[in-house]
Amino acid sequence: MAHVITRPCCNDGSCVSVCPVNCIHPTPDEPEFLTAEQLYIDPETCIDCGACIDECPVEAIYPDDQLAERDEPYLQINADYYKDHDVDGGLVPPKKAPPMPADKELHVAIVGAGPAALYAAETLVKKATVTVDVFDRLPTPHGLVRFGVAPDHAPTKLVERGYLSTANKKNFNYFLGVQVGKDITHEELKQRYHAIVYAVGAATDRRLDIPGEDLPGSISATEFVAWYNGHPDFVDLDVDLSSERAVVVGNGNVALDVARILVTDPDVLAKTDISDHALQVLRTSNIKEVVVLGRRGIAQGAYTNSEFLALGDVEGVDVIIDPDELVLDPESEAAGDDIDSTIGTKIRLAQEFAERPTTEGNRRIVFRFLSSPLSLEGDDKVTSMTVSKNEFTDGGSVSRTGETYSIDTGLVLRSIGYKGHADAVPDLPFDDDRGVVPNEGGRVLDGDEPLTGVYVTGWIKRGATGGIGRNRLCGEETAEAVIADFIDEKLTDPSASREDVEQLAADRGVHLIDLEGWKKIDAAEKAAGREAGRPRVKFTDIATLEAAAEAAE
């Protein structure tokens, strides 16, 4: 018997170091770790010790004889990875912690409270002489785990348990509801902290730049996800679900989340933490079909295999793929049986979906490959989309064939990636083309020189790539850079005390929420959820969140 890693895998690597036979790959010291869809257990090497089960923060690992029926394909998915990867015995050696200066404290401000921020904080607060203050403009922490992870992916949100463990450290503090740049300035932080780490994410979506993109009925997946996840900024987003067909442009994991939410039975969603306002609108939805457009072929599908596979488990939904559209690029075609295992699994799953029978009356998710939107049509709102058929050139690039087709639709969601914006970091250098703050290993660069005491982590550091596990590695790297610079005496001592930050915010009318306030919000949402048979009922109004934070015990 072996153990199997399933869909909720967050790639954070916690399981790797506890495996006595090193059968979990890729490991954080392997280059592929940065781009891997998930981690995999080699069934031939696994000794069934179970150490990885207790370590996994999202409960993604099971003995192979205890898999739910929907997870049985992961037996093959894990095994497939080792068709072209080797396993060497032995533990991954732990990193040796550098010594901290004696009798000297390090004060760090982290701007943002999402995964990358909290993984950086986790590394920092392990040092007893380091104090970490985490700022966020919203009354709630956890960033994309709260506002990005789909409501029907509850196991993924279990990583929040680790964030709470970090927040409970005596040398950790939350300053929620405080907007850096408005309520307190970058310069004021520099005066009070040895180091400032910006972890503000990449909240702007990439645009299609086609005619009609700004018509009503055309919105970004970024906005739609924030809307159904209860982000206070998007409660009033106008989402028109009156048409029978929606089109999602792009085929990454966010695109699949959006498509799945649009066709999932609202009664199923009502058992999740989806926002109440979104659930109410979805109950009146006329959407029967969601078309997912991908510019390239099946081998280049941007989704992970686990998310693709999960679509087949959505009750009352058919996944439609035309087998004639499963065209391979020249490189994949030439690879034959030697094709990369992850891509091979992607192709195999698509072929299996294409062969599945359909059920009359089911809702549908239709995948269209080698297709690019050319324009959106409509007078007062979107009514249709014109799409170009694409083809592979001999060199493997994609070009338009000149042939087009039209799709009738009243809702178009663009999901072609996130991008950082300079407005989120107005006091820092910014690379507009890449949507990141220029940096080296997390150290912010002004030209070729690092800015003393200023750092970045997460998507604003590396671009909008990778999920929760990648953010752990990214946050740890930045935190280690801060510690190394402190040890090497490269940081400037504060000229003012961080002790006055709370009073400074209060004097400016800020309703600051600390860890205890967040715990009250969390408890109140979960209590409301228990009454409704749900994990939690999210509060989406700032005033309601603030009131919950101040409620009596």
Side-chain angles (χ1 to χ4, degrees):
M1 185 173 69
H3 284 66
V4 180
I5 300 178
T6 63
R7 190 208 63 77
C9 177
C10 69
N11 294 48
D12 84 337
S14 299
C15 55
V16 172
S17 61
V18 300
C19 177
V21 292
N22 200 28
C23 72
I24 304 176
H25 290 264
T27 64
D29 58 351
E30 295 172 341
E32 192 174 338
F33 181 85
L34 303 182
T35 56
E37 293 187 353
Q38 66 167 76
L39 305 185
Y40 307 88
I41 293 176
D42 178 27
E44 299 298 323
T45 309
C46 178
I47 60 172
D48 194 30
C49 69
C52 54
I53 292 179
D54 292 335
E55 199 68 21
C56 178
V58 295
E59 299 181 0
I61 306 177
Y62 297 90
D64 60 14
D65 63 348
Q66 295 180 27
L67 288 172
E69 183 177 354
R70 68 176 183 278
D71 290 330
E72 288 180 357
Y74 285 93
L75 279 165
Q76 189 64 46
I77 289 173
N78 277 247
D80 282 349
Y81 179 81
Y82 292 94
K83 289 180 178 178
D84 53 6
H85 293 79
D86 294 324
V87 174
D88 297 317
L91 288 169
V92 177
K95 295 180 181 179
K96 185 177 180 180
M100 296 289 284
D103 302 322
K104 187 176 181 182
E105 293 187 349
L106 169 61
H107 298 163
V108 182
I110 299 181
V111 183
L118 295 174
Y119 286 131
E122 179 184 16
T123 297
L124 289 165
V125 297
K126 289 177 181 177
K127 312 290 186 182
T129 56
V130 179
T131 299
V132 175
D133 294 341
V134 173
F135 296 79
D136 198 283
R137 69 179 183 87
L138 293 174
T140 56
H142 303 168
L144 282 178
V145 174
R146 181 177 173 94
F147 298 123
V149 174
D152 56 349
H153 282 1
T156 303
K157 301 184 183 187
L158 293 176
V159 296
E160 292 180 323
R161 295 181 299 189
Y163 303 157
L164 179 59
S165 177
T166 297
N168 278 330
K169 299 289 186 181
K170 292 182 179 178
N171 50 340
F172 178 102
N173 301 283
Y174 269 136
F175 291 90
L176 304 175
V178 180
Q179 185 171 350
V180 173
K182 177 185 175 184
D183 301 321
I184 188 169
T185 68
H186 173 76
E187 285 301 317
E188 288 170 332
L189 290 180
K190 283 182 65 177
Q191 293 166 8
R192 290 163 172 80
Y193 295 90
H194 294 88
I196 308 169
V197 178
Y198 283 88
V200 295
T204 305
D205 66 283
R206 297 184 182 274
R207 291 178 59 82
L208 299 171
D209 293 327
I210 61 174
E213 183 173 8
D214 293 321
L215 281 169
S218 170
I219 61 177
S220 72
T222 308
E223 296 169 319
F224 185 68
V225 169
W227 172 75
Y228 67 60
N229 273 324
H231 194 296
D233 292 351
F234 295 92
V235 171
D236 296 323
L237 183 69
D238 183 15
V239 179
D240 185 353
L241 304 181
S242 60
S243 67
E244 293 191 354
R245 180 183 293 115
V247 178
V248 182
V249 181
N251 60 12
N253 281 353
V254 173
L256 267 58
D257 282 346
V258 166
R260 191 181 63 255
I261 293 298
L262 282 170
V263 295
T264 296
D265 186 338
D267 286 340
V268 173
L269 294 176
K271 299 174 184 177
T272 72
D273 67 354
I274 193 169
S275 65
D276 286 344
H277 59 262
L279 183 61
Q280 183 178 353
V281 174
L282 287 165
R283 286 195 182 281
T284 65
S285 171
N286 290 327
I287 301 290
K288 293 182 173 61
E289 177 178 287
V290 180
V291 179
V292 179
L293 294 184
R295 184 177 68 87
R296 298 178 294 174
I298 175 60
Q300 292 77 38
Y303 48 77
T304 59
N305 286 326
S306 59
E307 291 299 325
F308 190 40
L309 178 64
L311 293 180
D313 297 326
V314 183
E315 189 70 26
V317 175
D318 292 329
V319 178
I320 309 297
I321 298 177
D322 184 343
D324 292 337
E325 289 194 11
L326 300 181
V327 178
L328 299 183
D329 59 289
E331 182 179 351
S332 298
E333 186 73 47
D337 293 339
D338 294 327
I339 196 168
D340 176 88
S341 59
T342 301
I343 295 176
T345 299
K346 198 179 299 286
I347 295 168
R348 174 177 61 80
L349 292 176
Q351 291 170 337
E352 291 174 359
F353 274 130
E355 294 170 358
R356 286 190 182 187
T358 59
T359 301
E360 184 71 25
N362 271 6
R363 296 174 297 281
R364 298 154 47 100
I365 298 177
V366 180
F367 282 84
R368 302 299 305 267
F369 298 99
L370 290 168
S371 296
S372 297
L374 292 177
S375 62
L376 305 183
E377 286 77 35
D379 294 327
D380 300 324
K381 58 172 292 185
V382 173
T383 56
S384 65
M385 169 188 283
T386 300
V387 181
S388 164
K389 287 189 175 182
N390 301 333
E391 63 183 357
F392 287 113
T393 65
D394 291 340
S397 61
V398 172
S399 65
R400 294 174 180 173
T401 64
E403 186 178 352
T404 65
Y405 62 94
S406 180
I407 302 177
D408 292 334
T409 180
L411 178 64
V412 174
L413 299 111
R414 58 184 179 274
S415 183
I416 55 174
Y418 295 84
K419 186 178 181 181
H421 199 278
D423 289 349
V425 283
D427 298 293
L428 304 187
F430 197 77
D431 183 336
D432 285 307
D433 292 335
R434 297 178 56 216
V436 299
V437 173
N439 71 93
E440 184 175 354
R443 297 177 177 91
V444 173
L445 297 176
D446 187 6
D448 295 329
E449 297 298 320
L451 285 176
T452 301
V454 186
Y455 304 82
V456 285
T457 188
W459 283 0
I460 201 67
K461 168 185 172 184
R462 67 183 191 274
T465 59
I468 294 170
R470 180 69 179 92
N471 278 323
R472 171 182 280 280
L473 196 66
C474 186
E476 289 174 350
E477 179 186 54
T478 295
E480 288 164 4
V482 173
I483 292 169
D485 289 349
F486 181 61
I487 292 171
D488 293 340
E489 299 183 345
K490 294 180 179 179
L491 302 182
T492 303
D493 288 338
S495 60
S497 173
R498 54 168 290 280
E499 298 292 340
D500 73 346
V501 169
E502 186 170 351
Q503 187 60 52
L504 191 67
D507 291 344
R508 295 171 181 177
V510 176
H511 192 126
L512 186 150
I513 294 173
D514 59 10
L515 174 59
E516 293 309 310
W518 159 237
K519 286 181 176 180
K520 289 181 180 180
I521 293 171
D522 186 44
E525 289 185 336
K526 288 177 178 177
R530 284 192 295 273
E531 292 181 6
R534 304 168 62 184
R536 72 169 68 231
V537 174
K538 286 181 181 174
F539 302 154
T540 59
D541 176 72
I542 296 294
T544 302
L545 288 161
E546 291 175 345
E550 296 298 324
E553 295 289 349

